[in-house]
Amino acid sequence: RTSAQCFRAQWSQPPRAWFRGYVPTLMRDVPFSAIYWVTYEQSKQRVKLPADWVPNPGLRTSAHGFCCGAFAGMVAALATTPTDVIKTVRQHHVEAGMSPSYREIFRYLVQSPRLAFAGIGPRLIRIPLGLSTMMSGLEATKWMFEQRRLR
């Protein structure tokens, strides 16, 4: 599909359809962000990389951000996997023409708790790696600007 076709298809939908999936996305992303940022800031304060491990202060800042970002991403991903599974199950059913309620999906996952963590392996690889890379770059950039300001 071209962009124009996608745009026309979107405009042919009623406005209510434009926000389909918005609530379940917020149910996953708001707790994820809260858990991530609290964990990241706490781990930044508690985890210290010794100067003899990484002598270069800029590299140490980057490595510190990487480690704390990975840990925080892992905690947040683990905690929010069940809500992600609920959202994904709902999306697959809607695409297949069925429409189970969130309550029905939740009941099903309570009956089979292992299913609430379906896909946890790839999620625990993808999310911590992405967030650790982002935080490493962010902290290194912040450090660089602080060094420039101090000159």
Side-chain angles (χ1 to χ4, degrees):
R1 280 185 146 181
T2 66
S3 295
Q5 289 171 324
C6 290
F7 188 71
R8 273 188 237 106
Q10 186 66 37
W11 275 103
S12 70
Q13 300 282 323
R16 182 173 181 232
W18 297 357
F19 297 98
R20 188 179 299 135
Y22 185 70
V23 171
T25 299
L26 286 178
M27 287 171 40
R28 179 198 60 192
D29 290 352
V30 170
F32 180 92
S33 293
I35 293 166
Y36 176 77
W37 287 107
V38 167
T39 305
Y40 179 75
E41 291 299 329
Q42 289 294 313
S43 63
K44 259 180 59 176
Q45 291 174 3
R46 294 181 182 185
V47 173
K48 300 296 177 200
L49 293 179
D52 56 333
W53 285 10
V54 186
N56 181 305
L59 188 56
R60 187 171 48 251
T61 299
S62 183
H64 188 246
F66 187 89
C67 294
C68 294
F71 175 71
M74 196 176 310
V75 170
L78 187 61
T80 59
T81 294
T83 57
D84 191 43
V85 169
I86 291 170
K87 181 175 106 38
T88 303
V89 167
R90 171 84 172 158
Q91 284 175 332
H92 285 299
H93 280 88
V94 167
E95 287 173 7
M98 300 178 288
S99 189
S101 69
Y102 292 110
R103 182 178 290 163
E104 290 171 330
I105 296 169
F106 183 73
R107 268 194 226 124
Y108 181 68
L109 293 179
V110 167
Q111 292 171 356
S112 304
R114 290 183 65 194
L115 293 177
F117 290 93
I120 190 72
R123 192 168 157 82
L124 286 179
I125 293 171
R126 180 181 57 84
I127 291 173
L129 279 176
L131 292 174
S132 62
T133 304
M134 176 188 76
M135 295 315 294
S136 176
L138 177 78
E139 293 294 345
T141 303
K142 190 169 78 172
W143 179 84
M144 182 191 68
F145 280 121
E146 287 172 0
Q147 296 305 307
R148 181 178 270 179
R149 185 176 50 87
L150 293 175
R151 287 186 201 159

